[in-house]
Amino acid sequence: MSEERENPQQPTMGAAAFACPHCKAHAQQQWWKVNASSCSPDRAFIPEDEQFKKVLLDMEEQEKPDMLRYKSAVQAADPQPYREKDGTYSDRAIPNMFLTTCFVCKKGSVWLAGGLIWPERTFEVSPGEDLPTDVLEDFVEASLIVQTSPRGAAALLRLAIEKLCVALEKKGTIDQMIQQLVDDGLPVRIQQALDVVRVIGNEAVHPGTIDLKDDHATVLVLFRLVNLITETMISEPRRISEIYSGLPPEKLAGIQQRQARADAAAGKDKAEAGNLIVESKPDCDSPPAIRQP
């Protein structure tokens, strides 16, 4: 199975929503079929601002809004479907080409033969949905340079881990913050993931110790580790909390009562164990018995 199908956020042919290759938001997408109509060579051009100004001067006021929409579409840096006023007839379809427009940024993308061809894709691993904003910024920046500078991307991902630890309310150096997470019960596998990012990140920012194996494939693993940490420490607790809070009130009350009884029993057992220790402890303050000769 391809990585695209494994990660529903990746731009995927026929998907209703994915991570927009323009704005990076996970958003709904409008799909468009592409048709074609022939034109003469002199019609294959993009009008400039001066040409539009001259045309607009001679137009009736009620016609100008449509011309301005056409100007916006024809001068856009991305494909923008435009409804022509006269409904120009198209007698040719391009069955292997499609367009998508993002509901968030409104920008268009081009698909050919089942794959995204424009804009050039930057996310080989899409960011997790619960990444904190400042961590997401580093994740996105790393994705933009991973092809040309995998070591720079590794350094950014180390920074992302530090910010993620701060978002989880830890303080100190990255080593200290990782240890605090471990003290709070961080699973061993996540601790290992944090250590991997920390070590490779440190190597990436110290030129004398950069590992030549710190290549594109290695950085892709680091992207996944950032997502794994976020999923375990943020996303999973959030989903569990949502499930718990969605239970009927009587069920929640029953759970809370059961927990209260368990806590009371645990406190009683602890107190009894403490009493046993006190009773069995010799009284060190009393003087030794003196036997009469």
Side-chain angles (χ1 to χ4, degrees):
M1 183 178 290
S2 68
E3 183 176 294
E4 285 187 354
R5 293 296 178 184
E6 291 175 352
N7 188 344
Q9 290 200 56
Q10 288 280 7
T12 306
M13 183 71 182
F18 49 72
C20 173
H22 291 284
C23 68
K24 317 306 180 190
H26 186 270
Q28 292 287 324
Q29 304 290 324
Q30 173 66 58
W31 284 87
W32 305 85
K33 293 192 296 184
V34 179
N35 295 319
S37 57
S38 61
C39 68
S40 58
D42 62 325
R43 295 290 304 276
F45 74 101
I46 303 296
E48 297 179 353
D49 283 341
E50 288 302 318
Q51 293 171 292
F52 275 110
K53 288 179 181 178
K54 292 178 181 179
V55 172
L56 287 167
L57 286 173
D58 297 331
M59 295 185 72
E60 298 291 336
E61 285 299 320
Q62 64 269 24
E63 296 177 333
K64 288 182 179 180
D66 186 68
M67 178 56 68
L68 291 173
R69 284 192 293 271
Y70 172 72
K71 177 180 183 293
S72 176
V74 78
Q75 292 185 337
D78 59 290
Q80 290 291 317
Y82 166 76
R83 184 187 296 275
E84 293 184 326
K85 183 178 179 180
D86 298 329
T88 303
Y89 174 71
S90 173
D91 61 353
R92 294 288 188 274
I94 307 178
N96 65 341
M97 177 174 281
F98 296 87
L99 303 180
T100 52
T101 49
C102 173
F103 274 57
V104 174
C105 68
K106 311 303 182 185
K107 291 186 176 181
S109 303
V110 182
W111 299 75
L112 181 65
L116 180 67
I117 62 171
W118 192 88
E120 182 179 357
R121 293 173 61 171
T122 55
F123 281 143
E124 295 186 57
V125 179
S126 294
E129 61 178 345
D130 288 322
L131 275 178
T133 302
D134 54 346
V135 179
L136 177 61
E137 290 173 355
D138 291 330
F139 192 105
V140 171
E141 186 176 350
S143 73
L144 294 174
I145 66 171
V146 64
Q147 299 290 344
T148 57
S149 179
R151 298 175 187 177
L156 280 169
L157 291 173
R158 177 186 180 275
L159 180 60
I161 290 299
E162 291 190 53
K163 291 181 178 179
L164 188 54
C165 289
V166 172
L168 293 169
E169 301 182 347
K170 306 308 171 189
K171 298 179 181 180
T173 65
I174 188 169
D175 285 10
Q176 292 169 339
M177 289 189 289
I178 291 174
Q179 185 58 54
Q180 290 167 31
L181 290 175
V182 174
D183 293 342
D184 288 346
L186 182 72
V188 173
R189 64 188 180 94
I190 304 299
Q191 178 192 2
Q192 293 169 342
L194 282 167
D195 284 338
V196 168
V197 177
R198 175 178 57 83
V199 170
I200 296 180
N202 278 334
E203 291 174 348
V205 295
H206 296 295
T209 59
I210 288 179
D211 188 347
L212 293 179
K213 294 181 180 179
D214 191 17
D215 55 10
H216 180 260
T218 301
V219 178
L220 290 184
V221 172
L222 301 187
F223 281 116
R224 295 187 180 96
L225 290 178
V226 173
N227 280 342
L228 176 61
I229 296 161
T230 305
E231 173 68 19
T232 303
M233 303 302 293
I234 299 177
S235 299
E236 287 184 358
R238 173 183 60 78
R239 285 194 286 269
I240 292 172
S241 178
E242 289 173 353
I243 293 171
Y244 182 81
S245 60
L247 293 173
E250 61 274 13
K251 295 293 185 182
L252 287 174
I255 293 173
Q256 292 166 358
Q257 291 172 4
R258 183 186 63 193
Q259 187 62 49
R261 290 194 297 269
D263 292 343
K268 181 179 179 181
D269 291 343
K270 184 176 180 180
E272 290 177 351
N275 290 336
L276 288 174
I277 294 174
V278 170
E279 291 173 0
S280 62
K281 181 178 178 181
D283 188 355
C284 297
D285 295 332
S286 58
I290 299 177
R291 299 182 63 180
Q292 294 294 330

